Amino acid sequence: AASAAAAAERRREAALRLLLQIWRQRDDPATLLTTCDTLAALLDDGDSIDELEALLPQLAHLTTRLPADWLLTSVLERFVLRVCESNVHWALQLTWIAYSGLEENRPEVSTGDAEVHARCAALLHRIEQAVVYGAKMVNRDTLRSAALAHNVRRWLDELKSSMDLTGGMEPRLVEASGDGRSGAGEGRSGAGERAAA
C-alpha cells in the first residue's frame, strides 16, 4: 500500500511538472510539441489519467482564458477533448468546470467577461460533440485504455501535422483548419468529407 501511494505521488508530481513546463514553454512551438509528446506518453498509463484529472481545473482555466489565437490554447483544448472521447468521467468534470465559468461570466453579472462566457459555451458544445460523436463507449478497462491511447496518438498526429503546415514559426497561429476548432467535434459530416477526398 505504501509503494502504491508513493507511485501515485510520483505520477501527481510528474503531471504538475508537465503542466508547469507547458506553461513556461507556451511561446516555443518546437518545445511545445516535445512537451505534448511527453503528455501523451503520460496518458498511456491508465493510472496517470487520475493524476492529470486533479489538474483538470487548471487545464480548463488555461483553455478558456488564454487568448483564443494562441497555439497553446488550441493544443490544450484538443488534448482535453481527445481525453473526453474515451473518458466520460473527464468529460463530466470538464462540463461542470465549463458550466461554472459560463455562470460566473454571464452577461447579467457586472464582473462577467463576455469573451470567457462565449468560450465556455463553445467548450460545452465541443465536449458534447466529443462524447457523442467522437467516443466509442466501452466498459472494460483494457478497451478504454486502448481507445485512450488511440485518441492520444491521433491528437499527436494532428498536432504534428498542424505544426508542419504552419512551419513551426509563429506560436500564436490558430490551427490550419481556419476556425480554431478541434477535430474532436467534427461529427459524421467531417468524417464523410475526409472519406470523399
Side-chain angles (χ1 to χ4, degrees):
S3 64
E9 184 61 31
R10 281 193 302 276
R11 285 192 303 271
R12 189 174 302 113
E13 289 173 4
L16 180 58
R17 275 195 311 273
L18 188 57
L19 187 59
L20 290 173
Q21 184 178 5
I22 287 172
W23 174 251
R24 287 185 199 114
Q25 298 170 347
R26 64 191 177 276
D27 290 329
D28 183 0
T31 310
L32 185 60
L33 188 60
T34 304
T35 309
C36 291
D37 281 335
T38 307
L39 184 62
L42 189 63
L43 282 178
D44 283 338
D45 177 14
D47 293 332
S48 295
I49 297 168
D50 295 334
E51 308 311 327
L52 277 173
E53 189 175 333
L55 301 174
L56 193 54
Q58 289 85 350
L59 289 169
H61 181 83
L62 291 172
T63 302
T64 57
R65 282 159 176 90
L66 286 177
D69 60 343
W70 276 22
L71 177 63
L72 178 61
T73 307
S74 175
V75 165
L76 289 176
E77 181 178 295
R78 288 180 352 191
F79 171 72
V80 295
L81 290 173
R82 284 284 181 229
V83 178
C84 287
E85 289 180 2
S86 302
N87 190 321
V88 178
H89 193 258
W90 259 70
L92 182 60
Q93 294 290 347
L94 188 59
T95 297
W96 283 113
I97 292 167
Y99 189 73
S100 69
L102 190 72
E103 284 296 310
E104 289 172 0
N105 294 287
R106 65 185 190 274
E108 301 84 32
V109 177
S110 62
T111 59
D113 184 339
E115 182 182 350
V116 172
H117 183 269
R119 289 174 68 187
C120 287
L123 182 59
L124 281 168
H125 182 69
R126 290 183 188 129
I127 294 167
E128 180 182 344
Q129 287 179 329
V131 171
V132 173
Y133 298 115
K136 293 181 179 177
M137 295 301 159
V138 292
N139 294 324
R140 295 191 309 211
D141 287 340
T142 54
L143 292 177
R144 191 181 118 225
S145 296
L148 179 63
H150 170 75
N151 286 332
V152 169
R153 280 191 299 276
R154 269 184 45 201
W155 169 72
L156 278 175
D157 291 343
E158 288 175 8
L159 178 62
K160 289 176 183 176
S161 171
S162 69
M163 293 294 293
D164 290 342
L165 291 174
T166 62
M169 303 202 38
E170 177 58 46
R172 292 184 174 92
L173 289 176
V174 269
E175 66 180 297
S177 69
D179 65 353
R181 292 188 179 153
S182 74
E186 290 176 352
R188 295 179 184 163
S189 64
E193 292 169 6
R194 281 193 308 272

